[in-house]
């Protein structure tokens, strides 16, 4: 049988058949042969396929990959490749302190060095928990070898007392019930436990589901795999097919630089809006784009990402969870709706070697309770609203989670729709918030906006999911379940709070939140995208001359380095020095002896 020939020579040959350096070939080969591999296979000319293993006991959201990796390896072997598994720096959103946001850039750095410095011709990137997906795609864009993502899948639907309870979302809703005195702590924990019934990541449209949907929208994962629940047999089937496909991509030399185009990122923005995706998608999409050499501006979010209808009826913006969404057709069915409406670029190339339009043929849903028609959506204009003013240059608001109660109270004044004013109550970090939120002397009522600062990239450090602050218990007991909230940090993608967040520049970088004071009146005009504190310019200048809010010291070497090198959330929160490195695989590293 004629041996397949790659479009360009596999880079692993520079290790295992080093021209003119038999001493180096011997050195590279000998330790690989002491257990798993033979000399013949390593020198066979077959592609070496790396498998970035994100599953471990530390990362339960991704732990399914410990088993799935065997199906990936089987697919690689059957397609004529040689699999090599290696670990990815762990990232677990729920448990990492002070925040898992520190780990995205750290995992990115480690993965770049592995893909660049070892004999890897192509890679399967196992993903799942929030930041494993953007970290992996950022690294793939930097090194630019053929790459496919495979997420571990969401958990099965959670049920509590006959009702659907979604992971994360149940935490924020139960926290309000606890504050209102409607449940006790034991019931709180039961509800949370029932929301997580199996292996897998969040079963809501939190950041994990959002980012794995985004990977599919970018064309970086096989169509239809993002929403397959972790325990389903189809998940193992997807792992096998991913293993097979990455070998073909290695021979075809189908690299991220051909897939991660501006058109692909604009598609990802539109899909994020249509699925009711997490606000964390904004910095992650910008970060991936910047590492791919693609500019995504604030205007792009306004032009391509706001006037998009909500099509998916899934918590936190809707009713159902991931199992039902998967059975309804998942991400391809949503993209089909956008394509038919002319809101998706169908020419964008994908990992299949075909265009998005070709991949989406025949993908219309049959479950209109979960995936709504574009012409009759769950909600009109459901994307992120971009705001600016004297407190920040850029912040976003997730409009798909604006409740009827919130809209009626703040956004429905006759002749002033979507415009309101509120008195600021300012907290310096989440400890301050939790300590003082029920202090009656603050006089918090329904005419207030809760503000949290010191929660951004530099101030936390890393940027924390703390902006979805709930009202004081006294208001909760009156039935007021949400107040306007503002912060320079993030919030969980599972939250149903219409917060104004990711404010950049943050207070620790000299942003306007640093001079804001409790009692200031803030005016929000969603029609104009304007957000301003009504404070005299002379008073603002006086406050700017005063010392800013306290910034906690770094506690580890990485925290210090992160603060020194990382930019603001509006710019993706990336290591700014790193974005100039692209296509590093084009130059093989020099020999090590």
């Amino acid at each position: 049988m004629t041996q397949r020939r790659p479009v360009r020579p596999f880079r692993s040959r520079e290790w295992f058949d080093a021209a003119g350096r038999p001493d180096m070939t011997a050195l590279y080969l000998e330790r690989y042969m002491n257990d798993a591999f033979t000399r013949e296979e390593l020198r066979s000319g077959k592609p070496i396929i790396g498998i970035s293993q994100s599953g471990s006991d530390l990362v339960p959201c991704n732990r399914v990959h410990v088993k799935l990796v065997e199906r990936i390896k089987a697919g690689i072997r059957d397609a004529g490749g040689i699999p090599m598994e290696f670990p990815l720096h762990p990232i677990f959103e729920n448990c990492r302190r002070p925040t898992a946001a520190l780990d995205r850039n750290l995992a990115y750095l480690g993965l770049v060095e592995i893909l660049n410095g070892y004999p890897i011709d192509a890679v399967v990137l196992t993903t799942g928990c929030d930041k494993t997906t953007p970290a992996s795609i950022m690294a793939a864009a930097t090194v630019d070898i053929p790459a496919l993502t495979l997420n571990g899948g969401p958990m099965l639907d959670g049920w509590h007392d006959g009702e659907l309870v979604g992971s994360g979302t149940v935490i924020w809703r139960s926290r309000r019930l606890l504050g209102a005195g409607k449940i006790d702590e034991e019931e709180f924990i039961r509800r949370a436990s029932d929301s997580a019934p199996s292996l897998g990541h969040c079963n809501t449209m939190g950041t994990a589901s959002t980012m794995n949907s985004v990977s599919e929208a970018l064309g970086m994962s096989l169509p239809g795999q993002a929403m397959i629940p972790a325990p389903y047999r189809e998940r193992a089937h997807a792992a096998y097919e991913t293993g097979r496909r990455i070998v073909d991509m290695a021979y075809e030399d189908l690299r991220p630089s051909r897939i991660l185009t501006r058109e692909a990122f604009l598609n990802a923005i539109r899909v994020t809006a249509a699925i009711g995706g997490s606000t964390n998608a904004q910095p992650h999409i910008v970060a991936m784009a910047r590492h791919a050499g693609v500019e995504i501006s604030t205007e792009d979010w306004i032009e391509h990402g706001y006037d998009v209808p909500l099509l998916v009826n899934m918590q936190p913006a809707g009713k159902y969870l991931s199992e039902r969404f998967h059975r309804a057709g998942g991400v391809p069915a949503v993209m089909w709706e956008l394509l038919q409406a002319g809101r998706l670029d169908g020419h964008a190339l994908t990992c299949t070697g075909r265009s998005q339009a070709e991949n989406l043929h025949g993908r219309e849903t049959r479950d209109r309770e979960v995936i709504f028609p574009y012409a009759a959506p769950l909600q009109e204009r459901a994307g992120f609203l971009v705001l600016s003013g004297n407190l920040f240059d850029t912040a976003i608001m997730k409009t798909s989670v604006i409740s009827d109660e919130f809209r009626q109270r703040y956004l429905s004044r006759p002749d002033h729709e979507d415009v309101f004013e509120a008195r600021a109550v300012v907290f310096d970090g989440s400890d301050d918030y939790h300590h003082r939120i029920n202090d009656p002397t603050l006089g918090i009522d329904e005419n207030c906006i809760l503000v949290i600062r010191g929660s951004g990239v530099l101030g936390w450090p890393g940027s924390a999911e703390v902006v979805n602050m709930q009202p004081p218990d006294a208001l909760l007991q009156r039935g007021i379940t949400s107040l306007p909230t503002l912060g320079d940090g993030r919030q969980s993608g599972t939250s149903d709070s219409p917060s104004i967040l990711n404010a950049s520049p943050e207070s620790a970088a000299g942003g306007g939140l640093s001079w804001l004071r409790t009692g200031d009146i803030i005016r929000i005009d969603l029609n104009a995208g304007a957000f301003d504190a009504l404070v005299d310019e002379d008073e603002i200048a006086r406050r700017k001359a005063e010392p800013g809010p306290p910034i906690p010291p770094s506690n580890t070497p990485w925290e210090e380095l992160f603060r020194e090198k990382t930019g603001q959330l509006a710019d993706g929160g990336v290591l700014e020095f790193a974005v100039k490195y692209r296509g590093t695989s084009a130059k093989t590293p020099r020999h090590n002896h």
Side-chain angles (χ1 to χ4, degrees), residues 45 209 250-251 425 433 481 499:
S209 292
Y251 277 102
V425 180
Y433 161 76
T481 60
S499 305

Side-chain angles (χ1 to χ4, degrees), residues 395-407:
I396 62 172
M397 182 181 191
K398 181 177 176 178
T399 61
S400 63
V401 291
I402 296 176
S403 67
D404 292 340
E405 173 203 2
F406 189 96
R407 186 172 297 280

